[in-house]
Amino acid sequence: GTPSPRRARLDFSHAMLAVIFASATAFNGPARVPAAARSAVRMDMSASVPFVEKASKLGKGMLGDVGFDPLYLSDSMDLKWLREAELKHGRVCMLAVVGLIAPEFFRLGGPYYDAINPVEAVSKVPAVAWAQILGTIGGIEYFSNSGKMTMADMFTDSARVPGNTGFDPLKMKGAASADLQLKELKNGRLAMIAWAALVSSKFIAGSVPGLV
């Protein structure tokens, strides 16, 4: 049957209240995220690059892990293999920085080793000498790893520690071993940056403040 006038007025009042409530809530902005949820989001961000999300394999307690992997290499590559590469590159760069600075004070002499500029020095070394250098490096790398040099087989032995080649002539292993390993890692990282800066200064004059 036809609804009574009183029932129609009630239905109209309810509809108007719903419209008013919807209009009011539209100006409240998005719903606030609970504090616990915001904390969880912050925990997933990198500690060293806070505006970048942390790579999934980092933050597991590896020595020297500061959450720095902006390219997310660790998501698709073995973390131990990456640490091995980081340590070896750091060691090479520590020697390289010394090699870049030493010619400023003394030189071996001869037509192949008298260049102060490292870029010029590379071109002065004959091809035979380069073959000897690269062959020696390759031999050391091959035999120190028992022929296991790829990411797929280098760490088939789970007990193998990245960067540990057994070279410790000063017998520095012991209670301070972890501290010394961290110092080596940090100095290696600094040396990689320093090597890049020193070489860049030779290509672009004035690109590095304080260097000619």
Side-chain angles (χ1 to χ4, degrees):
T2 303
S4 65
R6 183 172 181 275
R7 177 62 181 274
R9 285 197 300 273
L10 285 173
D11 290 344
F12 178 77
S13 298
H14 291 162
M16 289 301 296
L17 285 172
V19 171
I20 293 169
F21 179 76
S23 301
T25 56
F27 291 96
N28 288 337
R32 293 178 63 83
V33 179
R38 293 198 300 272
S39 298
V41 171
R42 284 199 294 268
M43 289 175 63
D44 290 334
M45 304 305 286
S46 168
S48 57
V49 191
F51 53 86
V52 174
E53 188 176 355
K54 182 183 67 178
S56 59
K57 291 183 182 178
L58 300 184
K60 309 296 184 183
M62 176 176 273
L63 185 70
D65 177 5
V66 293
F68 184 80
D69 185 12
L71 299 180
Y72 301 101
L73 298 177
S74 61
D75 285 352
S76 58
M77 303 176 76
D78 181 65
L79 202 56
K80 285 187 174 182
W81 193 82
L82 290 172
R83 172 52 57 86
E84 176 93 5
E86 181 183 26
L87 281 168
K88 287 181 175 177
H89 282 83
R91 290 166 181 170
V92 168
C93 283
M94 282 189 278
L95 292 172
V97 169
V98 175
L100 285 169
I101 296 173
E104 299 286 345
F105 302 98
F106 59 88
R107 276 160 261 171
L108 295 176
Y112 303 131
Y113 309 108
D114 62 348
I116 297 179
N117 189 314
V119 180
E120 294 176 1
V122 170
S123 60
K124 282 196 170 188
V125 177
V128 174
W130 271 118
Q132 293 174 345
I133 293 169
L134 296 176
T136 301
I137 293 172
I140 294 172
E141 183 74 8
Y142 182 86
F143 290 108
S144 65
N145 290 291
S146 302
K148 298 178 179 180
M149 299 172 62
T150 68
M151 186 166 51
D153 60 9
M154 183 175 282
F155 291 95
T156 50
D157 179 7
S158 58
R160 187 185 184 289
V161 179
N164 185 5
T165 60
F167 182 76
D168 186 20
L170 300 179
K171 308 298 180 185
M172 301 182 74
K173 288 183 179 179
S177 180
D179 181 59
L180 291 173
Q181 290 174 23
L182 183 59
K183 287 179 179 178
E184 179 191 28
L185 187 62
K186 288 184 175 182
N187 279 281
R189 290 168 177 172
L190 179 61
M192 286 188 276
I193 297 173
W195 177 87
L198 289 169
V199 172
S200 297
S201 70
K202 302 301 181 182
F203 282 103
I204 308 172
S207 62
V208 181
L211 296 179
V212 179

